[in-house]
């Protein structure tokens, strides 16, 4: 890990929309500043992601000063959405958990609904410090998360993607590879590690910020969605199922929870501070 460093940093201002690359990012207790503070919900209040709507991969949200976003998507004129005043909140269901969020205005709802051809609403997480606790099985008291799937940040490594692409090339769906890193929608991409090194991290430092790593990331059908075309294939899930299955999950990448605030930058060194050599993190078939 002596040469490990941050290759790229990404935020997703609206959950499930395309990523925005950054040279540096402020780390807040619940994730990178501006990451997944907005999301779409259906008419029942359930979060809408690329699982249900692959075309969200083609939609973009440019972060604006003050926390607003400028939405754009194929066939739609751009729309600027300001942070709504928290005069009222509505219940949002995020993977079975109820969270209060603030609805955006009618123009945002109409824009998003017209793009997807479905009745959806855009909502904002006004108070990430209190709204949504991390899964208590893996959380420490007071830890919260934005609208990210489960944890404040996701880190992936170039070496592991290269190893995965080698496995895909040797498999039955070789024509689908090699896959780009954006299939996994990480916040931080690290270069200079051994393949699958991140499986074994429990505490790391990225530049000036220390993180704990509660568990590797289980992957879903979103990873089979081409982020440039919104077309779905079979990989990487079929290859992950053969080589990276543990506890019913298909693993790629590592979840992170910040232990202190700070700023991370492209080029920052990445150091492993704690790495036990046994337990569930060593049980993956490479």
């Amino acid at each position: 890990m002596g040469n490990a460093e941050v290759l790229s940093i990404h935020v997703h201002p609206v959950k499930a929309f395309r990523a925005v690359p950054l040279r540096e990012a402020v780390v807040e207790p619940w994730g990178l500043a501006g990451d997944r503070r907005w999301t779409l919900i259906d008419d029942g209040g359930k979060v809408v992601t690329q699982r249900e709507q692959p075309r969200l991969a083609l939609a973009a949200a440019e972060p604006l000063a003050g926390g607003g976003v400028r939405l754009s998507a194929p066939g739609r004129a751009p729309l600027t959405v300001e942070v709504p005043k928290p005069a009222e909140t509505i219940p949002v269901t995020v993977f079975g958990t109820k969270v209060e969020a603030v609805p955006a205005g009618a123009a945002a709802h109409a824009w998003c609904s017209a793009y997807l051809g479905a009745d959806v609403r855009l909502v904002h997480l006004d108070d990430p410090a209190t709204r949504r606790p991390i899964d208590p099985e893996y959380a420490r008291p007071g830890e919260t998360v934005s609208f990210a799937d489960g944890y404040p940040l996701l880190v992936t490594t170039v070496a592991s993607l290269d190893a995965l692409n080698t496995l895909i090339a040797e498999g039955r769906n070789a024509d689908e590879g090699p896959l780009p890193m954006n299939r996994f929608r990480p916040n931080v991409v690290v270069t200079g590690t051994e393949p699958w090194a991140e499986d074994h991290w429990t505490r790391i430092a990225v530049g000036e910020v220390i993180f704990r790593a509660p568990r590797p990331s289980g992957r879903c059908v979103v990873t089979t969605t081409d982020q440039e075309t919104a077309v779905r294939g079979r990989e990487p899930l079929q290859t992950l199922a053969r080589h990276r299955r543990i506890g019913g999950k298909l693993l790629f990448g590592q979840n992170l929870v910040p232990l202190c605030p700070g700023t991370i930058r492209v080029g920052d060194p990445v150091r492993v501070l704690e790495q036990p050599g046994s337990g569930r993190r060593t049980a993956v078939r490479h």
Side-chain angles (χ1 to χ4, degrees):
M1 288 290 290
N3 297 319
E5 65 178 36
V6 175
L7 177 68
S8 61
I9 299 170
H10 311 267
V11 296
H12 309 77
V14 178
K15 182 178 179 67
F17 282 35
R18 68 171 57 239
V20 176
L22 301 174
R23 296 294 301 175
E24 64 178 48
V26 173
V27 179
E28 299 173 330
W30 40 83
L32 299 184
D35 187 54
R36 296 175 171 96
R37 291 287 297 276
W38 299 82
T39 193
L40 297 180
I41 60 173
D42 63 19
D43 55 4
K46 183 180 177 181
V47 164
V48 177
T49 74
Q50 289 185 33
R51 295 167 178 82
E52 304 82 24
Q53 292 281 359
R55 291 185 68 232
L56 288 174
L58 309 182
E62 176 189 353
L64 304 176
V69 288
R70 185 173 185 265
L71 307 179
S72 60
R76 304 295 303 166
L79 177 71
T80 295
V81 183
E82 302 295 339
V83 172
K85 295 180 179 180
E88 65 165 336
T89 62
I90 59 175
V92 173
T93 303
V94 188
F95 304 124
T97 301
K98 292 289 187 181
V99 181
E100 292 295 317
V102 183
H109 305 329
W111 190 97
C112 296
S113 297
Y115 173 61
L116 293 180
D119 185 12
V120 295
R121 302 184 73 183
L122 181 67
V123 298
H124 181 257
L125 190 66
D126 62 321
D127 187 6
T130 63
R131 293 293 189 197
R132 186 183 174 213
I134 294 174
D135 181 349
E137 184 177 353
Y138 297 94
R140 294 177 178 177
E143 289 181 338
T144 60
V145 62
S146 65
F147 283 128
D149 277 6
Y151 298 90
L153 284 86
L154 173 69
V155 62
T156 58
T157 68
V158 172
S160 294
L161 180 62
D162 290 345
L164 176 61
N165 277 325
T166 296
L167 295 172
I168 291 173
E170 296 169 350
R172 67 192 71 167
N173 304 314
D175 59 315
E176 291 193 22
L179 300 182
M181 191 65 86
N182 65 7
R183 289 291 188 95
F184 301 96
R185 300 177 62 79
N187 294 112
V188 178
V189 180
V190 173
T191 188
T193 72
E194 293 296 317
W196 317 118
E198 64 276 16
D199 288 346
H200 310 285
W201 298 345
T202 56
R203 196 161 59 98
I204 67 171
V206 180
E208 65 188 40
V209 184
I210 298 174
F211 301 88
R212 68 180 187 90
R215 64 186 303 194
S217 178
R219 311 317 305 227
C220 70
V221 70
V222 171
T223 60
T224 68
T225 306
D226 188 319
Q227 297 295 296
E228 305 303 322
T229 66
V231 174
R232 282 206 173 129
R234 292 161 292 188
E235 295 294 353
L237 290 188
Q238 289 196 2
T239 296
L240 291 176
R242 291 195 302 274
H243 298 279
R244 300 277 299 165
R245 183 191 294 273
I246 180 172
K249 294 186 179 296
L250 311 182
L251 303 183
F252 188 90
Q254 178 67 259
N255 293 299
L256 298 178
V257 180
L259 296 179
C260 62
T263 300
I264 59 173
R265 300 171 177 85
V266 171
D268 273 352
V270 178
R271 296 176 293 122
V272 176
L273 304 179
E274 184 178 307
Q275 179 175 284
S278 62
R280 58 182 171 79
R281 287 178 173 80
T282 63
V284 183
R285 302 191 305 275
H286 297 323

